[in-house]
Amino acid sequence: MNQIARALMQSAFHGRRGGVRFASTSGFAIARASSEGFAVKRPSFCVVGASQLIDRHFSSSSAASASSKEDSAPKGGERNEKSVAVSSYWGITREKSITREDGSPWPWNCFMPWETYKADLSIDLHKHHVPKTFLDKFAYWTVKTLRIPTDIFFQRRYGCRAMMLETVAAVPGMVGGMLLHLRSLRKFQHSGGWIKALLEEAENERMHLMTMVELVKPKWYERLLVLTVQGVFFNAFFVLYLVSPKLAHRIVGYLEEEAIHSYTEFLKDIDSGAIKNGPAPAIAIDYWRLPKDATLRDVVIVVRADEAHHRDVNHFASDIHYQGKELREAPAPIGYH
């Protein structure tokens, strides 16, 4: 028996590794090649050949892998409770005790309960920065000009309009936060919280998109339009922020003013019956802590309030630059989202 085991061990060292089993036809010893070494076991019986075991190993591994992928696939961003647990070798695990306020399991992986909030519905929706300087007027009329093709393309299809524009609205916060992050690393300076504030804005705009996608499914040409517009806008805004951050923030402030107007028109169509006031998506109910019976109208109201907050933040950031100061010298609006 020792000779058989020794022979199998030598074959394993010179043969295939990674968990392939080698078995003797006498059934007295099995040597398994693994990353941890080789172990000799005494099974109660083993009357199969090595080729059969290898075939069985690969077929069972493929089946298990397919089953694992099928079970672990999330639906609509929601976590599947029956999904196969990923190995915790790296120590990255999710606590099973995360629940909603009513004690039910938390279904989302894209955000956690402590990242949810109630929108400030008391915010002034009618604020407007009157353009006075050349840069302000340039920013204002640039936004007004960009609105023309948008109105022609979408007309009063405000669901599609919101979905498409949110793919662009999430870009400025990410670009600004990224450039401030790099500046902080280069100059060994704190950002005054503005990196986090701008990235929070970008994430909030992305959650608007994730909500709108649940309501309106984009068509193929709309997806193509997203790729084109996002590619152009990201690079243009990146260069603009490098050249003139105060102009960049002013443009975003005016864009948010237009977003408030669009969502107000969205609400008018809902109230008039032109757009059906259906139930709110589950992701919106959890993210904005809405009532269980919340409707599309409730979602549009809280999204509009978010846009008003982004308007104030970006006009404020532009004003800081106009005063000849850096953003880090003024308190950043952290923690709103």
Side-chain angles (χ1 to χ4, degrees):
M1 183 182 68
N2 292 335
Q3 293 178 350
I4 294 175
R6 189 179 300 109
L8 286 170
M9 295 287 283
Q10 292 175 352
S11 300
F13 275 111
H14 298 287
R16 299 186 64 170
R17 295 174 179 260
V20 180
R21 298 186 179 95
F22 298 84
S24 68
T25 55
S26 59
F28 285 104
I30 296 177
R32 180 176 181 177
S34 68
S35 60
E36 298 176 356
F38 297 86
V40 179
K41 300 182 180 179
R42 290 176 179 269
S44 57
F45 65 92
C46 179
V47 196
V48 294
S51 60
Q52 292 174 313
L53 279 170
I54 292 173
D55 292 339
R56 186 179 304 170
H57 171 80
F58 284 110
S59 61
S60 62
S61 298
S62 300
S65 175
S67 175
S68 175
K69 290 179 181 179
E70 182 177 356
D71 291 340
S72 60
K75 298 180 179 179
E78 190 169 354
R79 185 173 62 92
N80 190 346
E81 295 296 336
K82 297 181 180 179
S83 62
V84 179
V86 180
S87 173
S88 60
Y89 172 77
W90 300 108
I92 308 299
T93 57
R94 170 173 167 167
E95 296 181 11
K96 296 182 179 180
S97 59
I98 299 178
T99 60
R100 293 189 176 102
E101 291 182 358
D102 60 5
S104 59
W106 185 255
W108 310 104
N109 284 329
C110 53
F111 64 99
M112 293 291 111
W114 52 86
E115 297 174 310
T116 64
Y117 66 99
K118 289 187 177 181
D120 179 15
L121 302 183
S122 64
I123 192 168
D124 188 352
L125 300 173
H126 303 289
K127 280 184 179 180
H128 168 65
H129 182 275
V130 179
K132 297 179 180 179
T133 66
F134 171 77
L135 287 182
D136 282 355
K137 293 177 181 178
F138 177 82
Y140 179 79
W141 288 110
T142 298
V143 172
K144 287 296 184 182
T145 303
L146 291 175
R147 181 178 170 177
I148 296 174
T150 304
D151 288 341
I152 294 174
F153 185 82
F154 293 106
Q155 298 181 359
R156 296 197 68 84
R157 294 182 298 129
Y158 286 106
C160 295
R161 184 192 191 110
M163 177 197 65
M164 295 293 293
L165 294 183
E166 293 295 354
T167 64
V168 174
V171 171
M174 179 59 65
V175 171
M178 175 185 67
L179 291 177
L180 288 180
H181 174 75
L182 295 176
R183 182 190 182 104
S184 176
L185 297 179
R186 290 195 309 271
K187 295 196 171 184
F188 306 97
Q189 295 175 339
H190 290 289
S191 69
W194 279 95
I195 295 174
K196 186 173 183 179
L198 294 179
L199 293 181
E200 279 183 352
E201 176 185 314
E203 173 63 10
N204 181 246
E205 295 284 13
R206 192 185 67 84
M207 289 304 297
H208 292 176
L209 175 63
M210 295 299 101
T211 299
M212 292 303 164
V213 168
E214 294 292 323
L215 300 169
V216 182
K217 303 302 180 184
K219 298 179 176 60
W220 68 267
Y221 58 86
E222 291 174 333
R223 291 178 179 272
L224 181 61
L225 182 62
V226 168
L227 291 174
T228 305
V229 174
Q230 189 183 80
V232 173
F233 183 73
F234 175 88
N235 288 284
F237 192 82
F238 180 86
V239 174
L240 176 62
Y241 203 96
L242 287 174
V243 174
S244 178
K246 61 183 176 184
L247 176 59
H249 282 292
R250 189 67 79 200
I251 287 177
V252 177
Y254 286 128
L255 283 173
E256 298 296 353
E257 290 185 17
E258 292 299 327
I260 294 170
H261 172 76
S262 295
Y263 282 111
T264 300
E265 294 298 313
F266 198 167
L267 284 172
K268 289 180 180 179
D269 281 3
I270 293 175
D271 293 338
S272 67
I275 297 177
K276 182 181 178 181
N277 187 25
I283 190 172
I285 291 175
D286 284 335
Y287 184 68
W288 282 285
R289 302 178 189 172
L290 297 173
K292 297 296 182 183
D293 58 348
T295 62
L296 172 61
R297 189 178 191 278
D298 298 319
V299 174
V300 174
I301 288 174
V302 295
V303 171
R304 184 178 63 174
D306 286 348
E307 304 295 4
H309 175 71
H310 300 157
R311 171 205 62 195
D312 296 345
V313 170
N314 281 278
H315 280 315
F316 174 55
S318 184
D319 289 346
I320 294 172
H321 284 292
Y322 266 103
Q323 295 172 14
K325 298 180 180 180
E326 296 183 4
L327 291 182
R328 64 188 181 89
E329 298 180 60
I334 301 176
Y336 178 81
H337 300 308

